[in-house]
Amino acid sequence: MSVLFQTGKYCLRKSYSYSFCKYVLLRKKSDVPRKFITFDEIVTQRRAEARRSLVVQVNSESSFDELYGYCSKYSSIKDVYHYKNSGEEHFMLIEFSSEENLQSILQSCCSHQKDLEVMAVQSPFVWFRAASVAKQKLTANGLELRVKDGNNKHSEDLLFEDLMKCQTVSEQIQMLYDKTILNDVGARLRFMVARQLEVILSSLYTNIQVLPFGSSVNGFGKMGCDLDLVLTNSLTDGMMSPSNRLVYQEKRSEGSRGPWQRHMELVGALLELRVPGATRVQRILNARVPIVKYSQELVDVDVDLCFKNMSGVYMSALLYSLGALDPAGPALAVSVRRWAAAVQLTQPHPGRWITNFPLTLMVLFFLMTQKILPTFRCLLECAGKEDVRLTEDNINCTFVRDLSRLPPHSYRPSSDDLQTLLLKFFEFYSQFDFQEHAISVIEGKPIRKPNTLPLYIVNPLEPALNVSRNVSYEECERLKMEVRNAAWHLEACLDNNRGDDWGILGLVEKKTTRGLKKLLRAGNQHRLVSVKDLFKDDEQPASATSPRKTHTDTDREGQSSGRHHRHGADDKHDKVKLKNTQTAKEVYRIRRDKLI
């Protein structure tokens, strides 16, 4: 996502990010108000791009000239993006100039041969096969790929090396955001997955819409994040007008949740039988919101599909709007999420620990206490008739969408740099009274907890719900301890003592890696941990000079010399074997990158 405000009411201060929040924006009271680009407009733009786009599997990126030359015979091409999936298969995402151009090229598509046991299906995912006759010279007329390897994640090792080269912690925070945030190709591919489902399900459901929500669209997502989709009907006032006397016969769904469970069971069967690239389909129908999970291997993304749960879409709109007001919000949230994963406060599977969504609300709540962001109540008070949103469960999701209508005193740009804000964030929660108070972005200040749960974070759209209800007492205590440790670490960085864990490296690097680095860096120092515990009993540990030799050291040297005498001089270069495979990989990586 990019492009927050149009010119006018805001002036540019400092470049922060190219991919989502491009500038810090300062308001002038004398400026003429201009329209804020809303979440709905961004989603509409992305959906329009997907409707005129096609994903083509090719042999390699060198197929660009031939593919471009072939497709340009039928339609006008706007841009071509290249990416690879985890299977090292190559794909081209082609955006045509219009939907009519895409329909022209789709008419030239064909199905598999009749002798294959495949039922033909129309989908925006196709493949480009070799020519059956002598190749015709096709060229791209000097044009080049817009993006190559657009879906690749940034290497962790290279990322840590780049972070070490930064001069300030603020530069590290911004670099971490820029290199890990979901890019344009990643966003386009996620909307292509939604478009694929729309095309295939449109024969069963009239006026169907498949809308992305969550981290893929709210501005806080990272490369490789999961894709959340909602299946819903798009009904307009014209479709339900009483002046239309002819009405479709329909099948009414009776009961509460049972009918929607059956619908999702049907969708799961269609994913297994009719959707190209859909694998590992799993139906979770007894949850509060029934979902179907699957993996789209053509795009390398895990998908969660639910039915008519529009509150998730409206929550994404809220997070997008608050993150768009100040780019410090998304940058801080990315660093906090990486820190929480490094210290294992968050886990890849659900359980008793905190998740990324409550952490994001904690960042936004902190910025509200600093008067950098407006409260949700302020957004609610400024809402107009065009902002009214009600879900199928009568949940009121009304708040102002055009944030240019907010009063000037409701928020202000931050005067602190990112390092100071991150330090203040950890200090704020290290002193927060979790036992007595709840976190509420509705009021923008701590409120009294309505119950005795260890951690209480109010859902702004459903105030009666606690989004951190699953967090146990032990995990809440660990959260308090880790925020204190993080605050101490950042305070130490103010002394400019640069080391291997300087700045946010000490926060976002996994504890196991940091521990091994300290162990390997110990050298001649006395160790509190016995090194021999890391090695197999029948192997010689790496040599380390000790202040004095013990009888055990002498015996070990004798055993080692005897072993070399039996096996010859070639064994001198044998590699040290470690008990734990993950430990061995970390040791190898650290030595390889010369981090010790």
Side-chain angles (χ1 to χ4, degrees):
M1 299 289 173
S2 61
V3 192
L4 305 180
F5 283 89
Q6 297 175 358
T7 58
K9 187 179 179 182
Y10 299 82
C11 66
L12 307 179
R13 183 181 73 176
K14 180 181 178 182
S15 177
Y16 262 76
S17 171
Y18 180 77
S19 55
F20 179 70
C21 299
K22 190 174 181 181
Y23 297 105
V24 175
L25 304 164
L26 293 177
R27 298 183 298 170
K28 289 183 177 180
K29 294 182 180 180
S30 60
D31 286 340
V32 178
R34 296 301 177 99
K35 191 176 184 303
F36 176 81
I37 299 181
T38 65
F39 175 82
D40 293 338
E41 292 172 335
I42 291 291
V43 171
T44 300
Q45 174 189 341
R46 289 294 190 185
R47 284 170 52 81
E49 292 172 351
R51 285 195 298 269
R52 59 175 182 261
S53 298
L54 200 64
V55 176
V56 184
Q57 184 174 356
V58 295
N59 184 48
S60 67
E61 66 270 15
S62 59
S63 304
F64 167 70
D65 288 342
E66 188 175 359
L67 177 63
Y68 188 96
Y70 178 82
C71 293
S72 59
K73 294 190 304 181
Y74 299 90
S75 303
S76 174
I77 297 176
K78 185 177 180 181
D79 277 316
V80 181
Y81 307 83
H82 168 265
Y83 76 94
K84 292 189 295 185
N85 64 3
S86 58
E88 293 299 316
E89 296 173 321
H90 295 259
F91 296 85
M92 301 281 185
L93 173 60
I94 306 176
E95 181 185 359
F96 295 92
S97 299
S98 64
E99 289 188 52
E100 290 75 17
N101 293 145
L102 176 61
Q103 295 303 319
S104 299
I105 193 68
L106 287 178
Q107 291 177 1
S108 68
C109 292
C110 65
S111 301
H112 289 78
Q113 300 299 324
K114 292 182 179 180
D115 57 343
L116 294 179
E117 296 179 356
V118 175
M119 292 291 291
V121 60
Q122 287 191 354
S123 166
F125 288 80
V126 299
W127 57 279
F128 189 52
R129 64 183 174 188
S132 57
V133 295
K135 282 189 177 182
Q136 180 182 359
K137 185 66 175 179
L138 298 173
T139 63
N141 299 324
L143 298 177
E144 297 181 355
L145 281 170
R146 179 71 176 270
V147 174
K148 182 179 177 181
D149 295 334
N151 204 31
N152 285 4
K153 298 179 184 178
H154 200 78
S155 169
E156 291 289 301
D157 295 341
L158 294 178
L159 175 61
F160 291 154
E161 289 180 7
D162 293 339
L163 292 176
M164 278 296 297
K165 297 175 184 177
C166 292
Q167 299 301 315
T168 64
V169 178
S170 296
E171 290 181 15
Q172 287 184 323
I173 297 173
Q174 190 59 47
M175 177 178 289
L176 179 65
Y177 174 81
D178 293 339
K179 291 186 179 295
T180 59
I181 199 67
L182 185 66
N183 62 16
D184 177 63
V185 175
R188 286 174 179 268
L189 290 176
R190 280 157 173 76
F191 276 86
M192 288 302 299
V193 174
R195 177 59 182 168
Q196 180 191 38
L197 293 180
E198 281 186 354
V199 171
I200 294 177
L201 297 177
S202 59
S203 61
L204 293 177
Y205 298 94
T206 306
N207 306 318
I208 195 69
Q209 272 192 341
V210 181
L211 300 176
F213 66 97
S215 56
S216 295
V217 291
N218 62 21
F220 295 87
K222 65 177 182 178
M223 290 297 296
C225 63
D226 293 347
L227 172 61
D228 297 309
L229 297 176
V230 57
L231 181 66
T232 183
N233 288 329
S234 175
L235 300 178
T236 63
D237 294 336
M239 297 176 185
M240 297 180 291
S241 174
S243 62
N244 299 332
R245 299 184 62 183
L246 295 177
V247 183
Y248 289 108
Q249 294 283 358
E250 297 173 338
K251 184 76 172 181
R252 179 177 296 275
S253 297
E254 298 179 357
S256 56
R257 196 172 55 181
W260 307 127
Q261 289 176 328
R262 292 197 294 271
H263 279 294
M264 295 308 297
E265 187 174 4
L266 171 62
V267 171
L270 291 174
L271 286 169
E272 291 177 330
L273 296 175
R274 304 294 294 151
V275 179
T279 60
R280 301 196 301 272
V281 179
Q282 180 183 4
R283 303 168 182 83
I284 306 176
L285 305 179
N286 293 323
R288 186 176 71 91
V289 178
I291 63 173
V292 174
K293 302 172 70 72
Y294 73 98
S295 177
Q296 177 48 267
E297 61 180 12
L298 301 181
V299 180
D300 259 355
V301 63
D302 293 327
V303 185
D304 292 349
L305 176 64
C306 63
F307 193 79
K308 296 185 72 172
N309 181 32
M310 288 300 294
S311 59
V313 178
Y314 299 143
M315 180 63 73
S316 300
L318 173 61
L319 296 182
Y320 165 83
S321 300
L322 292 174
L325 283 178
D326 197 309
L332 285 181
V334 168
S335 296
V336 170
R337 287 181 172 190
R338 285 293 298 255
W339 158 78
V343 299
Q344 298 180 346
L345 285 173
T346 58
Q347 299 290 340
H349 50 278
R352 64 181 186 276
W353 30 79
I354 196 170
T355 59
N356 284 332
F357 176 53
L359 286 173
T360 303
L361 291 183
M362 289 175 66
V363 173
L364 298 177
F365 175 76
F366 161 73
L367 295 177
M368 290 177 183
T369 62
Q370 306 297 306
K371 307 302 180 182
I372 297 174
L373 293 180
T375 64
F376 179 74
R377 185 167 300 281
C378 179
L379 301 183
L380 184 60
E381 292 172 351
C382 296
K385 292 183 179 180
E386 67 278 6
D387 299 315
V388 175
R389 303 287 191 279
L390 291 176
T391 68
E392 65 282 355
D393 298 329
N394 291 323
I395 300 174
N396 187 6
C397 299
T398 300
F399 59 89
V400 62
R401 264 62 180 180
D402 184 3
L403 298 191
S404 60
R405 303 208 308 261
L406 289 174
H409 61 79
S410 61
Y411 70 101
R412 60 175 177 80
S414 172
S415 58
D416 294 325
D417 58 16
L418 293 176
Q419 176 183 1
T420 304
L421 285 176
L422 186 60
L423 176 58
K424 286 184 176 180
F425 170 84
F426 289 121
E427 289 178 340
F428 175 81
Y429 284 107
S430 65
Q431 302 170 6
F432 190 85
D433 188 0
F434 290 95
Q435 185 175 358
E436 297 292 334
H437 294 128
I439 296 171
S440 173
V441 297
I442 299 176
E443 305 297 338
K445 60 183 180 180
I447 62 174
R448 184 167 295 278
K449 289 170 62 173
N451 54 42
T452 59
L453 289 174
L455 181 62
Y456 201 103
I457 302 177
V458 179
N459 186 327
L461 299 183
E462 299 181 74
L465 295 183
N466 174 15
V467 299
S468 58
R469 181 182 180 85
N470 61 300
V471 179
S472 66
Y473 175 80
E474 292 78 12
E475 289 299 315
C476 184
E477 291 299 310
R478 279 214 317 126
L479 174 64
K480 299 177 187 178
M481 178 185 68
E482 293 295 347
V483 294
R484 288 194 296 267
N485 293 340
W488 293 335
H489 174 81
L490 287 179
E491 285 179 353
C493 294
L494 298 177
D495 299 331
N496 293 324
N497 295 327
R498 299 177 67 96
D500 290 343
D501 58 352
W502 175 78
I504 64 169
L505 276 173
L507 300 179
V508 302
E509 196 173 21
K510 291 183 178 180
K511 280 187 171 182
T512 54
T513 303
R514 294 205 303 269
L516 283 170
K517 285 166 62 175
K518 291 179 180 179
L519 179 64
L520 294 173
R521 193 170 56 239
N524 297 335
Q525 299 175 358
H526 294 283
R527 296 179 175 88
L528 297 179
V529 180
S530 178
V531 180
K532 68 179 181 180
D533 292 338
L534 296 174
F535 302 91
K536 290 185 176 180
D537 297 332
D538 58 344
E539 293 293 332
Q540 170 67 18
S543 61
T545 305
S546 177
R548 61 179 183 179
K549 293 185 178 180
T550 64
H551 294 292
T552 305
D553 296 330
T554 305
D555 294 340
R556 187 180 297 113
E557 289 179 359
Q559 296 173 4
S560 177
S561 62
R563 187 182 302 110
H564 282 284
H565 179 71
R566 289 191 303 269
H567 296 283
D570 293 338
D571 292 341
K572 292 181 179 179
H573 303 289
D574 285 348
K575 294 183 179 179
V576 175
K577 297 182 179 179
L578 303 178
K579 287 182 177 181
N580 188 290
T581 304
Q582 184 64 29
T583 302
K585 290 181 180 179
E586 294 289 352
V587 170
Y588 171 76
R589 185 183 69 81
I590 293 169
R591 286 176 171 168
R592 181 196 65 192
D593 297 339
K594 298 180 181 180
L595 295 177
I596 57 175

